[in-house]
Amino acid sequence: MRRAALILLASLAVAAPAHAQGGGNCLGQTDAAAVEQKPGAPPLRFGITPGAQTGQFFTGAVPPRTPEDPARQIAGLDGLRAPGAPFVLRLHRFFWSDGEEAIRRFLALADLYTRAGYLVELQLRYHPNEQQEGDLAAWEAHVREVVRRFGENPRVVAIQVTNEVNITFSPDSSDGAYEGARDALIRGVIAAKDEARRRGHRQLEIGFNWAYRTDPSADAAFWSYLRDNAPKAFHEALDWVGVDAYPGTVFPPAHTQGGERDGMVNAFSSFRCYAGGAGIPESVPIHVEENGWPTQPPARSYEKQAEVLETLVRAVHDFRGTYNVTDYRWFNLRDGDSTSANFQTQYGLLTDEYRPKPAYPLFGRLVRELGARYAKPRLKLSVRCRSRRWQARIGGPDAGRVLRAGFRVGHLRAAEDRKPPFERSISARTFDRDRGRWSMRVRATLLDGRVVGLRRTIGHCRR
């Protein structure tokens, strides 16, 4: 995006009418110092967009200057996450128009990252081709297919349905320019949640996002459409709502020193106003799905990026209780082209040759300082003998966090249980011919993707 275009976007936002749906003013708070920081919120779950390519305002797609090196990419990611903590990778530019090829490519990426110990969420773009545009029945079928195939991986934990539908002028970066985009958002969210429930993919949380911000009249029209057209099933399907915010880059394009903090509070407060008017309560948490500040030396220096990153992250951390913010994703890991005159290709914490910018180690320190940690799961395996069978069941305070469980004794294995209560019955007759003792072993997969092993020693079962 050219700087002039950004300034034009900001001027439209300032000049447009200030009234949102129902006549409410949703311009939001402009002074972070005047907003209460409510205590007691859990730590943030951090993550990042690992892909190098960025969506482009006013231009078509710009491919990365250097191709991805999976080994160097994983090494770069490993330098950011904290031991014993979740770290979510947001896989973006998953276009409907790319069909089966995209599904296979993103399945491979999800497998690569989850095997490396990361959690994954998908930015599932509407982005139709000419034949698909407006065919919402086909879109719903595509959404269900994605849920079915990706939900089998327990470390794929979220799907964002569509992207930035409130932006109507930028088809490469956002979905709002396409026919039927608002209905694709509504119907896609409902279809995704329905399919996840049917398949037992309880770890898979469904949401959508909003880009902060276009002009208020356009935003009011977007939220009014959701208010007037989204049925009860849509609201019941939402597990989270996303905010994409780039203070100091998109809106507003320039700040006073440290003004990015005010920008984040303005984004959250205006979002809660708009979303509340559309019937989305504050109990639905916010995920900061995209937050970043691109470099382009000397005008946008590497040192300034680090300064802004800390301001942005600490603002989200400080006001997470006020606005119910649970998740934070930086956009993104590495530049697409560190030499380009187009700074939209330079959001990375690493250059396009994987060299760290000053913001890279800083983000890792903030993740370790402010991020959520995994709590040790409190699970208990109980076993009893009944009718010559061992009856095993998972209990304990965290039994509700179990997604699925596999039970076995010696070489005997029961079918995996995918619905609570997690229990299985295994015949004891084979083992009663011996006098020894055996281990009942359980492999329990949790909703956060972790696998926990449980074990009990058992003897004869003749009752």
Side-chain angles (χ1 to χ4, degrees):
M1 182 192 306
R2 295 188 299 272
R3 187 177 300 274
L6 290 171
I7 294 172
L8 174 61
L9 178 60
S11 66
L12 286 173
V14 172
H19 299 290
Q21 61 277 5
N25 185 326
C26 282
L27 292 183
Q29 297 287 342
T30 57
D31 182 3
V35 178
E36 178 187 3
Q37 298 177 32
K38 293 185 179 179
L44 293 167
R45 184 174 66 166
F46 279 95
I48 199 166
T49 301
Q53 189 156 348
T54 57
Q56 305 289 302
F57 279 170
F58 307 112
T59 65
V62 178
R65 183 175 73 95
T66 55
E68 289 284 15
D69 181 326
R72 296 176 76 183
Q73 184 190 58
I74 293 294
L77 293 168
D78 288 346
L80 297 175
R81 65 174 172 175
F87 199 76
V88 183
L89 304 185
R90 181 175 183 260
L91 309 190
H92 71 319
R93 300 180 69 82
F94 186 171
F95 296 164
W96 180 26
S97 57
D98 289 339
E100 177 64 20
E101 187 276 331
I103 291 178
R104 293 180 181 179
R105 173 159 45 90
F106 279 87
L107 280 171
L109 287 173
D111 184 67
L112 170 69
Y113 296 134
T114 58
R115 286 181 182 274
Y118 294 96
L119 302 176
V120 161
E121 64 184 11
L122 305 173
Q123 179 208 66
L124 183 58
R125 291 283 303 272
Y126 177 47
H127 199 280
N129 60 34
E130 291 183 2
Q131 290 71 39
Q132 294 167 330
E133 190 169 7
D135 188 347
L136 297 184
W139 162 246
E140 285 180 309
H142 174 69
V143 170
R144 289 180 181 276
E145 177 75 358
V146 169
V147 169
R148 181 181 69 81
R149 293 170 71 174
F150 285 82
E152 288 295 318
N153 186 334
R155 297 184 71 83
V156 176
V157 295
I159 295 180
Q160 175 195 301
V161 179
T162 70
N163 190 60
E164 299 176 347
V165 169
N166 64 303
I167 290 182
T168 60
F169 53 83
S170 179
D172 184 63
S173 69
S174 312
D175 286 332
Y178 296 103
E179 178 187 345
R182 293 174 179 178
D183 289 321
L185 188 164
I186 294 169
R187 292 172 59 170
V189 164
I190 294 170
K193 194 62 181 181
D194 179 68
E195 192 68 19
R197 288 169 175 155
R198 289 180 62 246
R199 300 282 176 178
H201 301 327
R202 293 190 298 124
Q203 89 284 5
L204 201 57
E205 296 187 333
I206 307 301
F208 75 98
N209 69 335
W210 169 74
Y212 169 80
R213 63 187 302 170
T214 59
D215 70 271
S217 62
D219 275 334
F222 167 75
W223 289 105
S224 294
Y225 193 89
L226 294 188
R227 179 198 64 199
D228 297 339
N229 294 277
K232 182 179 179 181
F234 171 79
H235 296 90
E236 292 176 342
L238 283 177
D239 296 302
W240 54 272
V241 285
V243 170
D244 294 1
Y246 296 88
T249 299
V250 177
F251 175 80
H255 276 305
T256 56
Q257 186 74 14
E260 293 83 11
R261 182 177 179 87
D262 294 335
M264 291 310 297
V265 167
N266 187 247
F268 292 148
S269 57
S270 58
F271 174 81
R272 281 301 183 193
C273 176
Y274 281 127
I280 299 171
E282 292 188 8
S283 58
V284 179
I286 289 174
H287 289 188
V288 178
E289 287 297 298
E290 293 184 21
N291 192 218
W293 197 88
T295 58
Q296 191 185 43
R300 301 176 69 90
S301 71
Y302 289 175
E303 292 73 22
K304 180 64 176 179
Q305 184 192 44
E307 176 187 312
V308 172
L309 180 146
E310 182 158 19
T311 300
L312 293 171
V313 171
R314 291 198 181 277
V316 176
H317 171 267
D318 291 348
F319 292 98
R320 69 193 191 282
T322 306
Y323 298 108
N324 188 16
V325 183
T326 61
D327 285 62
Y328 180 90
R329 317 280 179 258
W330 179 263
F331 188 86
N332 50 356
L333 178 65
R334 56 154 273 201
D335 290 348
D337 187 346
S338 300
T339 67
S340 174
N342 178 357
F343 67 77
Q344 293 180 93
T345 67
Q346 299 179 47
Y347 279 94
L349 302 178
L350 307 172
T351 70
D352 60 7
E353 295 179 336
Y354 296 92
R355 294 191 181 96
K357 302 177 188 178
Y360 173 80
L362 173 61
F363 187 56
R365 289 197 296 272
L366 291 171
V367 170
R368 291 186 285 275
E369 175 189 346
L370 306 176
R373 294 290 190 276
Y374 283 128
K376 184 177 180 180
R378 296 165 296 170
L379 299 174
K380 179 181 178 181
L381 175 62
S382 60
V383 183
R384 65 174 180 169
C385 172
R386 186 175 182 180
S387 301
R388 304 294 300 277
R389 301 185 70 85
W390 285 305
Q391 311 286 338
R393 181 169 182 167
I394 297 176
D398 291 330
R401 296 173 57 201
V402 176
L403 176 65
R404 58 198 191 204
F407 299 76
R408 69 182 301 158
V409 179
H411 65 278
L412 292 184
R413 181 170 57 188
E416 187 175 65
D417 193 356
R418 295 192 171 213
K419 293 183 179 180
F422 293 93
E423 56 188 359
R424 275 295 181 259
S425 174
I426 298 179
S427 173
R429 296 177 187 274
T430 301
F431 299 93
D432 281 349
R433 293 193 293 268
D434 301 321
R435 293 180 176 272
R437 299 174 70 81
W438 304 273
S439 290
M440 169 74 74
R441 298 189 301 277
V442 177
R443 180 181 171 91
T445 302
L446 306 184
L447 289 172
D448 58 25
R450 286 180 295 165
V451 176
V452 177
L454 302 173
R455 179 174 175 173
R456 281 285 303 274
T457 300
I458 56 178
H460 292 286
C461 176
R462 300 185 182 277
R463 289 174 290 174

